[in-house]
Amino acid sequence: MINTTNGMISPSSSLATTQSPGLKTYFKTPQGRYKLHYEKTHPSGLLHYPHGKTVTQVTIANLKDKPAPTTPTAPASSFSATSGVRSAAARLLGTGNGNRALSFVGGNGGSKSVSGTSRIGSLGASSSNNSIINTNFDGKGAYLIFNVGDVIFISDLNSHDKDPIKSIHFSNSNPVCHAFDEDSKDGHDLIIGLSSGDVYSVSLRQQLQDVGKKLVGAQHYNKDGSVNNSRCTSVAWVPGSDGSFLVAHADGNLYVYEKNKDAAGDSSFPVIKDPTQFSVSHARHNKSNPIARWHVCLGSINSIAFSTDGTYLATVGRDGYLRVFDYSKEQLICGGKSYYGALLCCAWSMDGKYILAGGEDDLVQVWSMEDRKVVAWGEGHNSWVSGVAFDSYWSSPNSDGTGESVMYRFGSVGQDTQFLLWDLEMDELVVPLRRCPPGGSPTFNAGSHSSHWDNVVPVGTLQPAPSMRDVPKLSPLVAHRVHTEPLSGLVFTQESVLTVCREGHIKIWMRPGAAEQSGNSETCLSNSLKDKALLTSKIGNAKTMNS
């Protein structure tokens, strides 16, 4: 195993951006070849590591048509710039010292001369008087947001240009996690968590319009650690809430914020009586922000994820437990421990029936919400599992025609530099014999319903780590070494899968046939996130395991 602490990188890691001779540019699946289409990275010469190196995380942001202006902070736009011009402008901004004059050319031929500075900005939002706005850019499109060192980079997902089109610098801390809300009804749709505990919400479109290197129009939460001074570890928007978001911290606490409230609202919470138990405390005043604190566990919360409909929240932590909560009821429903060590990542299936979790035991854990237990372990990684995701765009080839999904596909990446693809077919899992109950005979596990489990295992029960012999094992469909550095995440889109290494290099692998069908690189990925909501109706109830 690679025994690095979660969230930090060893100083010896390489920043090489070229394809290693030992790495193939494709990998095979039964459906055909996934081909390396292009890569995204960062200008390594501009990076600063005053606060230590951090692990790169990636967020895909799909900006829709610009809504009618609702706030004075959203400048009007008349036309959009092409990605090629935006990339050229970013390269000018990203090199050298001093001021440069730039001319942004829009799609209708108009231009505007502005000047930018390459100095590193400080934490906090710059005032509108000091920001330089490119009003020729409305920001519509698909973007990659990723953090490296003390910088947030933004790249045009549909452009083959490696370099980002925008960089935002932080001088007092490192950005470590971020999340985008494409259904946001007002300007602020991006949240950024920092290693200092500070949190910002901003408008992504407004950041793209501004040619400077500071956040503009930002709301600053937990300023200087006023509520919690431990490291942010994960952030997430609450689905369907229109403005609520969660911030998880390294001390085991999770906070609920509302972006429509004053970011500086005074919040104080009572002392945690029993740190070993889950507890929820609400702020004493209506104007307080955050509005609630969830004490989840001892030690760090490493990742959080909502089910698609927002009903359930999953967390994984340093203590090795996956926990599942009913979010609106603020109630712990179920959970279980890893085979060994911490859990680092988690993800939901689109139908909310399964949760993936990975961590320091090198296993990919498949947790069933119906059975309230681990129903499979994926064995194939040679080091810690750092990222997991279901491929919600993949259609099962053996659908029985009833709308029922009889197979799930998911992916995982690890510090062993490998990307693995898996197929989960419940009917084909080899389910071990249960131990003989007192006075009875050995029986096969028949997959109990939740109502039955309420009688057997009380709500809120955290189960111990199962024995290795009691859990069915999965073997990967594909195991492919995709980077030279340890991997930190993966994202599936309609036409591709993205893999990202801890040093901030991202590869886009096109699905079989997708590269040939796309034709136009400017539009090949633009609709991938818009169609995701339609997939829920395609995924029915999974078949239960028969005895």
Side-chain angles (χ1 to χ4, degrees):
M1 294 184 181
I2 302 175
N3 294 315
T4 56
T5 55
N6 183 39
M8 301 303 291
I9 306 175
S10 64
S12 61
S13 296
S14 169
L15 286 174
T17 60
T18 57
Q19 182 72 12
S20 169
L23 300 180
K24 292 183 178 180
T25 57
Y26 68 89
F27 57 88
K28 296 179 180 179
T29 70
Q31 291 73 42
R33 288 187 175 189
Y34 282 69
K35 299 178 181 178
L36 179 59
H37 200 45
Y38 52 94
E39 301 179 41
K40 298 288 185 180
T41 187
H42 51 80
S44 57
L46 293 179
L47 293 181
H48 301 80
Y49 299 101
H51 317 291
K53 292 187 178 182
T54 54
V55 174
T56 295
Q57 300 295 332
V58 65
T59 295
I60 292 185
N62 192 52
L63 275 179
K64 302 176 181 179
D65 291 326
K66 184 183 177 185
T70 57
T71 63
T73 60
S77 299
S78 57
F79 50 83
S80 63
T82 64
S83 63
V85 172
R86 295 197 300 271
S87 298
R91 285 194 296 273
L92 282 172
L93 281 172
T95 56
N97 295 313
N99 297 328
R100 292 182 182 272
L102 302 177
S103 180
F104 287 85
V105 182
N108 62 2
S111 64
K112 180 180 180 180
S113 179
V114 298
S115 64
T117 176
S118 62
R119 68 181 178 87
I120 298 177
S122 61
L123 279 175
S126 62
S127 68
S128 58
N129 293 332
N130 295 329
S131 61
I132 304 165
I133 302 299
N134 169 28
T135 56
N136 296 341
F137 177 57
D138 65 9
K140 179 182 176 182
Y143 298 91
L144 284 177
I145 301 165
F146 60 103
N147 58 287
V148 186
D150 59 353
V151 185
I152 285 280
F153 292 104
I154 305 173
S155 286
D156 186 339
L157 180 58
N158 294 326
S159 168
H160 288 210
D161 197 326
K162 282 188 175 184
D163 292 333
I165 61 174
K166 173 77 176 180
S167 62
I168 301 170
H169 294 250
F170 298 82
S171 62
N172 297 331
S173 186
N174 287 337
V176 291
C177 50
H178 31 84
F180 178 78
D181 180 13
E182 71 171 39
D183 296 319
S184 174
K185 295 180 181 179
D186 61 23
H188 284 210
D189 47 19
L190 176 64
I191 44 178
I192 303 169
L194 278 70
S195 58
S196 61
D198 295 69
V199 182
Y200 290 93
S201 72
V202 296
S203 161
L204 175 59
R205 181 176 277 109
Q206 192 174 357
Q207 308 314 305
L208 291 168
Q209 288 171 332
D210 186 84
V211 299
K213 290 180 176 290
K214 294 181 180 180
L215 289 176
V216 291
Q219 287 272 22
H220 191 175
Y221 308 88
N222 191 30
K223 186 174 182 180
D224 300 324
S226 59
V227 177
N228 189 311
N229 61 6
S230 68
R231 175 190 181 90
C232 293
T233 56
S234 188
V235 292
W237 292 98
V238 180
S241 67
D242 189 29
S244 297
F245 61 91
L246 305 185
V247 181
H249 287 266
D251 65 352
N253 288 311
L254 183 153
Y255 294 85
V256 184
Y257 289 86
E258 290 185 355
K259 71 175 183 180
N260 298 322
K261 285 189 174 183
D262 184 4
D266 179 40
S267 288
S268 58
F269 298 96
V271 175
I272 298 170
K273 295 180 180 179
D274 185 354
T276 65
Q277 297 296 315
F278 168 66
S279 63
V280 178
S281 300
H282 295 92
R284 296 186 176 94
H285 308 291
N286 290 334
K287 294 183 179 180
S288 297
N289 210 8
I291 62 173
R293 179 196 67 199
W294 292 29
H295 178 70
V296 175
C297 58
L298 284 170
S300 176
I301 303 171
N302 290 331
S303 183
I304 61 176
F306 273 103
S307 59
T308 304
D309 61 3
T311 300
Y312 296 108
L313 172 71
T315 71
V316 292
R318 175 68 252 176
D319 62 359
Y321 278 96
L322 164 70
R323 292 173 172 86
V324 182
F325 302 90
D326 185 311
Y327 178 71
S328 62
K329 294 180 180 178
E330 299 179 331
Q331 182 182 23
L332 176 64
I333 300 299
C334 58
K337 199 174 189 309
S338 66
Y339 181 70
Y340 170 82
L343 288 174
L344 306 176
C345 52
C346 59
W348 287 85
S349 62
M350 281 293 289
D351 58 10
K353 288 184 171 293
Y354 297 98
I355 307 169
L356 300 174
E360 295 176 358
D361 55 13
D362 304 352
L363 299 170
V364 179
Q365 179 184 122
V366 183
W367 178 274
S368 168
M369 283 295 291
E370 185 175 29
D371 295 338
R372 294 190 187 172
K373 66 175 185 178
V374 175
V375 293
W377 270 332
E379 295 180 324
H381 282 287
N382 301 315
S383 185
W384 296 357
V385 178
S386 49
V388 290
F390 277 97
D391 185 354
S392 56
Y393 300 96
W394 182 78
S395 297
S396 173
N398 58 346
S399 175
D400 57 11
T402 63
E404 211 170 86
S405 178
V406 295
M407 183 185 294
Y408 297 79
R409 175 162 290 179
F410 60 90
S412 61
V413 294
Q415 295 191 15
D416 56 3
T417 72
Q418 288 196 104
F419 165 64
L420 273 58
L421 274 180
W422 312 78
D423 282 347
L424 175 66
E425 192 165 9
M426 299 307 299
D427 287 346
E428 294 189 1
L429 283 179
V430 179
V431 185
L433 287 170
R434 282 185 173 178
R435 289 195 177 94
C436 179
S441 59
T443 57
F444 285 99
N445 181 353
S448 305
H449 293 284
S450 295
S451 58
H452 172 68
W453 273 98
D454 288 341
N455 297 325
V456 178
V457 180
V459 171
T461 300
L462 295 178
Q463 299 185 41
S467 170
M468 184 65 78
R469 64 184 178 182
D470 290 340
V471 180
K473 309 302 187 300
L474 295 176
S475 296
L477 179 73
V478 170
H480 183 65
R481 184 169 176 257
V482 291
H483 290 252
T484 58
E485 297 293 336
L487 301 180
S488 57
L490 77 160
V491 180
F492 288 101
T493 73
Q494 190 172 17
E495 284 84 15
S496 66
V497 56
L498 283 68
T499 57
V500 55
C501 80
R502 297 163 68 95
E503 294 282 4
H505 308 304
I506 302 164
K507 294 185 178 182
I508 293 89
W509 305 84
M510 299 301 289
R511 296 179 187 269
E516 292 79 4
Q517 294 172 5
S518 63
N520 186 348
S521 63
E522 286 294 312
T523 60
C524 66
L525 296 172
S526 60
N527 295 320
S528 61
L529 294 181
K530 294 180 181 179
D531 297 336
K532 191 167 186 177
L534 301 177
L535 292 168
T536 306
S537 61
K538 297 181 181 179
I539 303 179
N541 297 327
K543 287 187 175 180
T544 59
M545 294 179 289
N546 298 320
S547 58

